Amino acid sequence: MKPFKVGYTTGVFDMFHVGHLNILQRAKNLCDFLIVGVSTDELVMTYKNKLPVIPYLERREIIESIKYVDQVVAQENRDKFSAWEAYKFDAMFVGDDWRGNELFNEVEVKLNGVGTTVVYLPYTQGVSSSLLREKVRL
């Protein structure tokens, strides 16, 4: 039996790569039902000041096709507690590169207060959408 019933994770998932696959697989291995929030283009623009290479609807379609994913939702803001209010997950999965980040320290306290666990999963070293962008420019 898996330790969590409903899990939740989010991401831009631009230029899908093995790091994305790893977090989805690891998250699904720990929960019965995995909900994945895919950041909208508008949201990405608000905090990265650039659009993803792959448009939202295409990124969403890619994530929906992954066998580890049970449901895909639009991530229209970065408020993880409002996501909990909407989806009532009992675990939120995050890459361990976010551990100790002020945003996630606050989120962890709020989610722990409603009985939800923040689970930090190993970050896949050596691959990211940013690195892929650089390689494509060469």
Side-chain angles (χ1 to χ4, degrees), residues 5-22:
K5 183 172 174 56
V6 179
Y8 179 75
T9 192
T10 66
V12 178
F13 301 104
D14 197 18
M15 300 176 68
F16 194 84
H17 55 73
V18 73
H20 295 137
L21 187 62
N22 287 343

Side-chain angles (χ1 to χ4, degrees), residues 88-137:
K88 301 294 194 253
F89 45 86
D90 58 328
M92 186 175 89
F93 302 105
V94 182
D96 64 6
D97 54 321
W98 286 98
R99 187 187 305 272
N101 175 284
E102 187 176 324
L103 171 70
F104 278 94
N105 288 342
E106 291 176 28
V107 166
E108 201 166 344
V109 168
K110 280 182 154 180
L111 290 177
N112 287 171
V114 294
T116 294
T117 303
V118 175
V119 178
Y120 293 95
L121 298 173
Y123 177 78
T124 303
Q125 297 295 321
V127 64
S128 72
S129 295
S130 297
L131 288 172
L132 288 175
R133 280 179 186 244
E134 288 300 313
K135 285 183 179 183
V136 169
R137 286 187 186 135

Side-chain angles (χ1 to χ4, degrees), residues 34-47:
L34 181 61
I35 302 168
V36 179
V38 176
S39 299
T40 63
D41 294 340
E42 296 79 12
L43 176 61
V44 175
M45 183 59 91
T46 66
Y47 70 94

Side-chain angles (χ1 to χ4, degrees), residues 16-63:
F16 194 84
H17 55 73
V18 73
H20 295 137
L21 187 62
N22 287 343
I23 198 164
L24 297 174
Q25 181 182 31
R26 289 172 179 150
K28 181 62 177 177
N29 284 340
L30 296 172
C31 67
D32 295 322
F33 191 87
L34 181 61
I35 302 168
V36 179
V38 176
S39 299
T40 63
D41 294 340
E42 296 79 12
L43 176 61
V44 175
M45 183 59 91
T46 66
Y47 70 94
K48 290 193 177 193
N49 294 315
K50 62 183 177 184
L51 287 172
V53 172
I54 310 298
Y56 167 74
L57 289 176
E58 293 177 22
R59 290 182 287 115
R60 181 184 177 112
E61 189 174 342
I62 291 166
I63 300 305

